[in-house]
Amino acid sequence: MFKLKLPTDPRWANIAEENIGEILTDHAWCEQKAATNAIGLITMLPEYPEIVTELLAIAQEELDHFGQVHEIIKKRGYTFGRTRKDDYVNELVNFIQKGGNRDDLIVDKMLFAAMIEARSCERFKVLTENIKDEELKVFYRELMISEANHYTTFIGFARQLGDEEKVNKRWEEWLEYEAKIIQSYGNKESIHG
């Protein structure tokens, strides 16, 4: 569905499961950042009330996910750590086109969001298929579906706001870029690490 060029090695799930407290904290902060990103996009699109409504729903859902992960952390007696730097996301930020016109920037920010949702969905699928923790398998399966819906929404907005042919070409560039950077990840106890 996402056409990601490089799948996550399933052994990453072993790293995640051995460090589940760290993964959960990192995941919680990823959800908070996703909510913040959706709110940032809202500020760029006040003239599109339907898009603002959808982005608001995504922001609320991401905050709800943040709360769910936080509850799991508390229930399991883990310590909720401080926010972490996400090197993967920071490398993606570097690929957002600088300069140009406002519309091109908005489209690229939608593709940036779609890429993060696509990789997060793929990582949640890896967790669902490879960890032993039954509660977390169910939890991550539900989130996988949600992330797939967010990906579809962001790609749809990009195509709605830009020339579809140009957007599809730019998405292919995003996929190529992401394939190059993701090679360095998949060996740390973080969602994108």
Side-chain angles (χ1 to χ4, degrees):
M1 174 180 181
F2 309 123
K3 298 196 255 176
L4 294 172
K5 306 279 185 193
L6 185 65
T8 296
D9 185 327
R11 292 176 292 185
W12 169 78
N14 298 329
I15 296 167
E17 194 159 33
E18 290 170 9
N19 300 280
I20 203 66
E22 286 295 311
I23 284 288
L24 289 168
T25 290
D26 184 69
H27 177 197
W29 289 116
C30 287
E31 298 291 355
Q32 178 272 324
K33 291 170 190 169
T36 300
N37 186 59
I39 291 167
L41 287 168
I42 287 169
T43 67
M44 298 178 76
L45 297 161
E47 68 272 27
Y48 295 98
E50 297 82 17
I51 293 177
V52 168
T53 299
E54 286 292 319
L55 289 171
L56 182 57
I58 288 173
Q60 290 170 328
E61 189 172 0
E62 300 288 18
L63 276 178
D64 183 50
H65 295 165
F66 175 86
Q68 290 175 35
V69 178
H70 186 250
E71 286 303 313
I72 292 171
I73 290 169
K74 291 190 318 186
K75 183 175 92 173
R76 292 182 175 214
Y78 296 126
T79 301
F80 180 52
R82 294 190 178 278
T83 187
R84 283 93 196 271
K85 182 178 161 189
D86 192 326
D87 293 327
Y88 168 79
V89 170
N90 289 336
E91 285 195 62
L92 289 180
V93 166
N94 292 332
F95 197 63
I96 294 173
Q97 291 180 348
K98 311 298 186 273
N101 65 45
R102 177 180 178 267
D103 292 341
D104 289 342
L105 176 63
I106 291 169
V107 165
D108 232 33
K109 287 189 173 224
M110 291 293 181
L111 296 178
F112 161 79
M115 182 57 69
I116 295 169
E117 298 289 348
R119 181 57 70 182
S120 297
C121 179
E122 189 258 358
R123 288 284 169 101
F124 294 162
K125 183 176 189 288
V126 169
L127 287 174
T128 299
E129 293 173 347
N130 293 285
I131 63 174
K132 296 176 185 77
D133 188 310
E134 291 300 322
E135 178 187 20
L136 290 180
K137 274 186 181 191
V138 170
F139 178 65
Y140 280 111
R141 174 148 175 66
E142 290 170 5
L143 291 187
M144 177 185 72
I145 294 165
S146 175
E147 301 295 303
N149 289 334
H150 294 169
Y151 156 81
T152 302
T153 299
F154 286 120
I155 284 282
F157 288 158
R159 291 180 177 139
Q160 177 183 339
L161 296 167
D163 175 77
E164 189 167 348
E165 189 176 318
K166 287 182 184 175
V167 170
N168 290 341
K169 182 177 184 287
R170 182 64 178 151
W171 180 242
E172 289 300 322
E173 293 169 1
W174 272 98
L175 289 167
E176 291 296 330
Y177 178 76
E178 197 268 353
K180 289 176 188 157
I181 67 170
I182 200 66
Q183 293 176 40
S184 302
Y185 296 94
N187 54 11
K188 292 190 336 191
E189 60 279 355
S190 63
I191 293 297
H192 301 121

